[in-house]
Amino acid sequence: MANKTKFQAIKGTRDLLPPDTELWNRVEATAREVFGTFGFGEIRPPIFEPTELFARSIGADTDVVGKEMYTFEDRDNSSISLRPEATASVCRVYIEHGMHAWPQPVKLYYLGPMFRRERPQKGRYRQFYQIGAEVLETVQPGQGGPKDIPKDAAVDAEVIEMVMAFFARLGLEGVQLEINSIGHAAENCRRGYVQKLKAALEQVKDKLGPDSQRRIETNPLRVLDSKLESEQAIIAGLPKISEHLCDDCAKQYAEVKRQLDLRGVKYTENWRLVRGLDYYMRTTFEITARGLGSQNAVCGGGRYDGLVELLGGLPTKGIGFAIGEDRLILSLQEAGKGGAEAGRDVFVAWMGEKAQTSAIAAAQRLRAAGFRVELPPVEQKFGKALGQADKLGARYALILGEDEIATGQWTVKTLADGAQAKMSESEFLEKLKRL
Ligand code: ATP
Ligand code: MG
């Protein structure tokens, strides 16, 4: 007897189906278009990489690498992981393809699936999709340092402006941009701050939940990210990084804000905004949108100077972001912007052998002109054909019977109001184009 096991998509993964995929395609086409206008080119790295690439860049102590990565041993015993994000891959690509020799800065974007073994819920999946972009610039000998602050800040602001332009083009609603600076890893900057933060957290340790208690040791900055109601008042009283930034980081942050103002980009500052991945420094930002419940972040990003070097490349600056495409789509759908188009432009209802020849030819010409045409494979009574046209959401039924073939005058029925008229093929084409 045949095995009757019913297969199901693995927990945390989803099948995307029509008509929803129309919206996915529209979002992706819009991303390509908008990013293209900012001079970005598309990159398509593989979806798996050596595990070490993620461990070294994202940080072995982070949740992403420590608990969420899909890691497996390949047949040659090497350790491979499905990518949990793509910035590390983009940096590897930059090094591997000698992009430091390309005209600088190098501006790249990517689209595609990412994998993290998280608890599935609305807006959180184990295979999810990101749309992201990165700007990379190798520091030339004699360059870099404090004199680059205005330039870096303008690059940061333009990257943020680009995401906001993309969201505006899609008509995303309730978009809110939050920014922060998390300084850089030096004693007189973030490192000193984290020590103060740790000391302050030790004082209130008993009042914190188990996650935050653990993070005091592993990653104290992440405590600021806590959504736990009981911790909010305690966190409000902790030392703030803005009071501990070094001069250069403070200058850079002020300049980013000025550059955002110049571009008309609205933002709020959030001193508690830190990123979950280790490699970020200075500018960090997050964008939220409406209709998503507690998983309302649609984009996270920031600056990561030094990451390329950490992965074996030359000293290189980086800034980028990743948009959660699943959440972006959810928000558009919640706002009623996911409306799929009608299923077909034309349903060709034909009867009789001669009519089939004409129907095939008509369908070929209409499709070549770009219209979506349904041509039934066998003849149907007109009543049944019209019923099917209706079900498919067709705009017009083109009725081809003996009469129409003899006279060359097609019968066209508008399905929305049932109106029917006779017209030539060229008149029908004109009518379709006026849609
Ligand atoms: P979150 O705090 O929501 O877990 P994150 O800080 O882990 O987000 P990033 O690593 O910065 O997120 O990824 C950027 C964006 O990718 C997020 O803002 C979100 O929109 C999306 N994203 C991250 N993880 C998932 C997931 N498991 N399912 C769907 N989207 C996700
Ligand atoms: Mg996360």
Side-chain angles (χ1 to χ4, degrees), residues 128-291:
F128 61 102
Y129 293 79
Q130 286 187 337
I131 302 177
E134 319 286 350
V135 179
L136 293 158
E137 180 168 15
T138 297
V139 183
Q140 304 304 322
Q143 298 280 303
K147 62 181 179 302
D148 273 6
I149 286 173
K151 183 172 91 176
D152 296 348
V155 173
D156 292 357
E158 194 182 65
V159 164
I160 295 172
E161 179 189 8
M162 181 169 88
V163 190
M164 297 301 269
F166 170 50
F167 287 165
R169 184 77 66 88
L170 290 172
L172 190 68
E173 291 184 357
V175 179
Q176 301 222 10
L177 164 67
E178 291 189 343
I179 61 167
N180 191 22
S181 173
I182 55 168
H184 80 298
E187 212 51 53
N188 65 342
C189 199
R190 184 169 66 228
R191 199 168 293 150
Y193 166 70
V194 170
Q195 276 157 13
K196 285 209 178 71
L197 181 64
K198 216 168 156 179
L201 285 168
E202 296 288 358
Q203 301 284 310
V204 294
K205 189 166 179 178
D206 299 345
K207 296 183 206 135
L208 298 171
D211 279 343
S212 293
Q213 288 195 359
R214 195 166 33 80
R215 286 185 172 136
I216 297 177
E217 289 312 317
T218 58
N219 197 346
L221 274 179
R222 284 292 275 181
V223 176
L224 303 180
D225 210 20
S226 160
K227 309 271 186 308
L228 214 65
E229 202 46 57
S230 59
E231 295 179 345
Q232 299 309 305
I234 303 166
I235 293 170
L238 293 169
K240 300 182 172 46
I241 189 150
S242 54
E243 288 149 18
H244 294 86
L245 291 179
C246 69
D247 284 353
D248 285 351
C249 286
K251 259 189 219 143
Q252 145 99 12
Y253 187 39
E255 184 61 12
V256 169
K257 289 185 272 184
R258 197 182 72 87
Q259 285 286 340
L260 287 171
D261 292 340
L262 284 178
R263 290 167 164 77
V265 175
K266 300 244 170 346
Y267 58 83
T268 52
E269 293 179 67
N270 176 2
W271 69 274
R272 288 176 50 179
L273 183 67
V274 294
R275 311 279 334 131
L277 315 180
D278 270 358
Y279 51 65
Y280 286 109
M281 50 103 63
R282 289 193 173 162
T283 310
T284 53
F285 60 99
E286 188 165 277
I287 303 171
T288 53
R290 197 173 294 156

Side-chain angles (χ1 to χ4, degrees), residues 337-375:
K337 303 219 162 128
E341 285 185 46
R344 306 288 187 283
D345 297 308
V346 184
F347 187 99
V348 187
W350 59 274
M351 262 185 91
E353 211 173 299
K354 270 196 201 151
Q356 185 176 26
T357 312
S358 301
I360 290 171
Q364 286 177 340
R365 288 194 297 269
L366 289 169
R367 285 174 177 152
F371 298 105
R372 295 162 306 161
V373 178
E374 191 68 24
L375 177 70

Side-chain angles (χ1 to χ4, degrees), residues 64 68 116 118 124 222 327:
V64 170
E68 299 171 356
R116 295 183 196 175
E118 303 196 71
R124 195 178 288 291
R222 284 292 275 181
R327 295 184 195 175

Side-chain angles (χ1 to χ4, degrees), residues 384-406:
K384 190 174 169 208
L386 291 175
Q388 219 196 331
D390 217 34
K391 265 195 214 139
L392 289 174
R395 289 181 212 269
Y396 298 107
L398 171 58
I399 300 171
L400 296 179
E402 268 170 39
D403 228 35
E404 285 79 9
I405 308 306

